[in-house]
Amino acid sequence: MEFELNSHKNGETTKPKHKLIEYANGPSLEEINGTVEVPKGKGFMKTLFAYSGPGALVAVGYMDPGNWSTSITGGQNFQYMLMSVILMSSLIAMLLQYMAAKLGIVSQMDLAQAIRARTSKGLGVVLWILTELAIMATDIAEVIGAAIALYLLFHIPLVIAVFITVFDVLVLLLLTKIGFRKIEAIVVCLILVILFVFVYQVALSNPDWGGVVRGLVPSAATFSTDHPVGGMTALSGSLGIIGATVMPHNLYLHSAISQTRKIDHDDDEDVARTVKFTAWDSNIQLTFAFFVNALLLIMGVAVFKTGAVKDPSFFGLFQALSDASTLSNPLLIEVAKSGILSVLFAVALLASGQNSTITGTLTGQVIMEGFIHMRTPLWVRRLVTRLISVVPVLICVLFTSGKTAVQEHTALNNLMNNSQVFLAFALPFSMLPLLMMTNSEVEMGKRFKNSLWVSVLGWVSVIGLTYLNMIGLPDQIQAFFGDNPTAGQVQLANIIAYILIAGVLSLLAWTTYDLYRGNKRYAAKVQAHLEATED
């Protein structure tokens, strides 16, 4: 299987000519939709293996470079307390990704297509722009992570390393030739590399496993604003982990790539089997993502001495992994002398960035086709998005080039953290429509609509995450003014945040109203069709 569609003429296979920009209103990711064969009547494990893969592409978003700093810093500042936040975020992610995959399989539309089909054109364009900004914000973290990994591994100057990240489009071009199943396998291998690196480093540190288990139980202190450590409260640490974990683009991606398996949509049992095994795949892969994020937090507690990491940027963590004065036990110190700990960290960082290249590009294509019915070649899509994302990183590097290394590192780390502010805006506009549509019997049918417990947990998750993102917004805006903002800057940050929150709530009301009306219109059409059939 290849991404390119082939046409046949006089017994010869030819590739159709594609324009740079085309109209698209067909199946989601049409080139790979329904192309992967799955066995029928086979055992559980063999069937699960055939459905495994899409979950790995989704899990990548839950362990990208944006997660690393928040988890490690959270461990440094609050020991194992925030383990419960990682667990809760992972469970919510499993629920949301299950609904996203089910929407794609049952309705044969990805989330962007489904929203556009039930809302006005104007709202579709607004939501497309908002989601594009969120993807670009995520891409900034990937650019920073990949560029720093290249700098740390090969001593390539940062400016040049940033430009090199643009050429990962060549990797994407290569991958489009080898088939979607092989892409899934490559992503799984890269995830295993990341998992191995952190398992190895944590195993050497001999953490307090009793403390780890106790940290999985949430307490009132988990979301406390009292007793800040290093300028961070437990609440801000929790919000950082939540914001870096549950990302809107993963819901769009999963609703599209869940349709890559070939199934008979006229057979409810075949559809139900696909939903079941896709959910298994997703939950297994997201469990791996949970362990990676948990290992990152444990690193912050057990690998390093408490409070030893003064620079939470990737540079600082790399340096700390080779500095005997920051490490927690003699075995770690002995291994660190060889440089293997810091090198493995940089390799995992590079693997994380390359994984995100694949998933970010596919997601961009999904939302562009779904919201505005426009298609471009994947390499064009990737090149444009990456070039836009590179600009703020280059500006940051160039503006700090004459300053100290610590100031440069801090500026890049702040840029990465501040770029995540768009995720707080975009997340409700993917979660709310997803929940409304999968709760609807008209959209999903009686058999596949959310059960009562899924619906209740879904509403709790959507309302809870939206609330947490909104209350964390003032601090995120305030971060743009640096580490020591003035009283006037704090006030300005709060005003900006409240205006943005009002805008988000207004746009959510518009989205909810449009979706409700669209669902009613669709229900009326279905009823009219049934009545006409009966007559």
Side-chain angles (χ1 to χ4, degrees):
M1 186 278 297
E2 292 184 358
F3 275 78
E4 292 88 349
L5 291 174
N6 294 333
S7 59
H8 299 270
K9 184 177 181 181
N10 298 327
E12 298 180 354
T13 301
T14 59
K15 290 181 180 178
K17 293 181 179 179
H18 291 294
K19 297 177 182 178
L20 199 61
I21 299 177
E22 296 180 320
Y23 176 77
N25 195 22
S28 181
L29 294 177
E30 189 170 4
E31 294 87 347
I32 56 176
N33 192 293
T35 56
V36 179
E37 296 281 352
V38 289
K40 303 288 176 67
K42 301 295 182 181
F44 179 86
M45 293 306 298
K46 190 168 184 177
T47 307
L48 177 60
F49 177 76
Y51 280 100
S52 295
L57 272 72
V58 169
V60 165
Y62 292 92
M63 58 180 89
D64 73 349
N67 294 67
W68 293 31
S69 178
T70 54
S71 294
I72 293 176
T73 306
Q76 273 277 289
N77 292 341
F78 302 103
Q79 299 295 292
Y80 299 111
M81 184 196 299
L82 302 188
M83 283 288 295
S84 59
V85 178
I86 294 177
L87 178 61
M88 286 187 292
S89 297
S90 298
L91 293 174
I92 291 171
M94 289 179 184
L95 178 67
L96 293 173
Q97 297 299 161
Y98 160 72
M99 290 192 287
K102 183 172 68 169
L103 174 69
I105 294 165
V106 175
S107 71
Q108 301 180 64
M109 292 188 292
D110 60 56
L111 181 58
Q113 290 173 327
I115 293 173
R116 180 66 187 87
R118 301 288 173 260
T119 58
S120 61
K121 183 178 180 179
L123 181 59
V125 171
V126 171
L127 294 180
W128 171 64
I129 293 172
L130 191 64
T131 312
E132 287 282 11
L133 289 172
I135 291 175
M136 289 176 190
T138 305
D139 207 35
I140 286 174
E142 293 158 16
V143 170
I144 293 173
I148 292 175
L150 291 171
Y151 169 80
L152 295 174
L153 288 170
F154 307 110
H155 306 291
I156 298 171
L158 272 176
V159 172
I160 297 174
V162 169
F163 277 112
I164 289 175
T165 65
V166 175
F167 292 99
D168 67 7
V169 69
L170 300 176
V171 176
L172 187 69
L173 279 174
L174 175 63
L175 291 176
T176 61
K177 304 297 181 184
I178 67 174
F180 193 69
R181 196 75 172 122
K182 293 186 181 70
I183 289 176
E184 293 172 343
I186 290 170
V187 169
V188 169
C189 289
L190 290 172
I191 289 174
L192 291 176
V193 167
I194 298 168
L195 184 63
F196 165 77
V197 169
F198 295 129
V199 166
Y200 175 69
Q201 296 191 348
V202 167
L204 290 177
S205 70
N206 191 26
D208 173 14
W209 292 111
V212 171
V213 173
R214 289 192 294 273
L216 293 172
V217 181
S219 65
T222 305
F223 296 99
S224 171
T225 57
D226 299 326
H227 310 298
V229 180
M232 174 187 286
T233 64
L235 175 61
S236 60
S238 298
L239 291 176
I241 290 173
I242 292 169
T245 302
V246 185
M247 296 187 182
H249 68 273
N250 272 327
L251 303 179
Y252 292 100
L253 177 65
H254 208 181
S255 63
I257 59 176
S258 63
Q259 300 178 55
T260 55
R261 271 46 184 178
K262 195 171 185 178
I263 62 175
D264 180 4
H265 285 280
D266 294 324
D267 181 357
D268 271 5
E269 292 305 319
D270 201 17
V271 174
R273 179 169 50 252
T274 301
V275 171
K276 171 187 172 182
F277 281 100
T278 300
W280 269 99
D281 169 48
S282 175
N283 290 339
I284 289 171
Q285 303 292 353
L286 287 174
T287 300
F288 280 123
F290 162 73
F291 281 118
V292 167
N293 286 316
L295 288 168
L296 283 164
L297 187 139
I298 294 170
M299 272 186 68
V301 182
V303 172
F304 306 109
K305 294 176 182 176
T306 302
V309 180
K310 303 301 181 184
D311 179 1
S313 71
F314 296 135
F315 298 97
L317 294 171
F318 180 87
Q319 182 63 35
L321 286 168
S322 57
D323 184 353
S325 67
T326 64
L327 299 176
S328 63
N329 67 48
L331 179 58
L332 276 171
I333 293 170
E334 195 61 34
V335 175
K337 289 178 181 177
S338 67
I340 189 67
L341 293 181
S342 53
V343 168
L344 284 175
F345 177 82
V347 168
L349 184 58
L350 189 60
S352 177
Q354 290 311 302
N355 257 345
S356 301
T357 290
I358 300 167
T359 58
T361 305
L362 288 174
T363 307
Q365 195 65 29
V366 167
I367 65 166
M368 184 181 287
E369 291 183 13
F371 279 127
I372 60 173
H373 304 317
M374 182 189 297
R375 175 190 298 151
T376 63
L378 287 176
W379 68 268
V380 173
R381 165 79 208 185
R382 183 57 184 173
L383 191 59
V384 171
T385 304
R386 178 48 61 94
L387 285 172
I388 294 173
S389 302
V390 155
V391 171
V393 182
L394 277 177
I395 292 173
C396 182
V397 171
L398 292 173
F399 266 78
T400 57
S401 60
K403 298 183 179 180
T404 65
V406 172
Q407 288 175 316
E408 182 181 56
H409 302 168
T410 302
L412 279 172
N413 203 53
N414 288 341
L415 173 62
M416 183 174 68
N417 293 334
N418 291 340
S419 69
Q420 306 303 296
V421 71
F422 286 109
L423 301 180
F425 297 152
L427 188 58
F429 300 101
S430 54
M431 293 192 302
L432 181 64
L434 174 64
L435 183 58
M436 289 180 65
M437 289 178 183
T438 52
N439 278 345
S440 170
E441 186 175 328
V442 178
E443 303 287 355
M444 304 296 292
K446 190 171 184 178
R447 179 171 183 177
F448 296 108
K449 77 168 188 174
N450 291 334
S451 61
L452 178 61
W453 72 269
V454 170
S455 181
V456 170
L457 289 176
W459 278 114
V460 170
S461 300
V462 168
I463 294 171
L465 284 177
T466 301
Y467 172 73
L468 289 173
N469 272 296
M470 292 302 101
I471 65 170
L473 199 54
D475 286 340
Q476 288 181 304
I477 301 299
Q478 188 177 313
F480 282 91
F481 294 106
D483 294 331
N484 299 299
T486 64
Q489 288 173 332
V490 170
Q491 185 178 12
L492 177 60
N494 288 335
I495 292 171
I496 294 172
Y498 296 142
I499 291 172
L500 290 174
I501 290 171
V504 168
L505 294 177
S506 298
L507 191 54
L508 272 176
W510 181 14
T511 304
T512 304
Y513 177 67
D514 255 22
L515 285 170
Y516 177 78
R517 288 183 59 194
N519 189 268
K520 286 292 186 184
R521 287 195 301 269
Y522 182 58
K525 286 181 181 179
V526 170
Q527 185 62 35
H529 175 73
L530 290 174
E531 291 173 356
T533 304
E534 290 173 359
D535 292 341

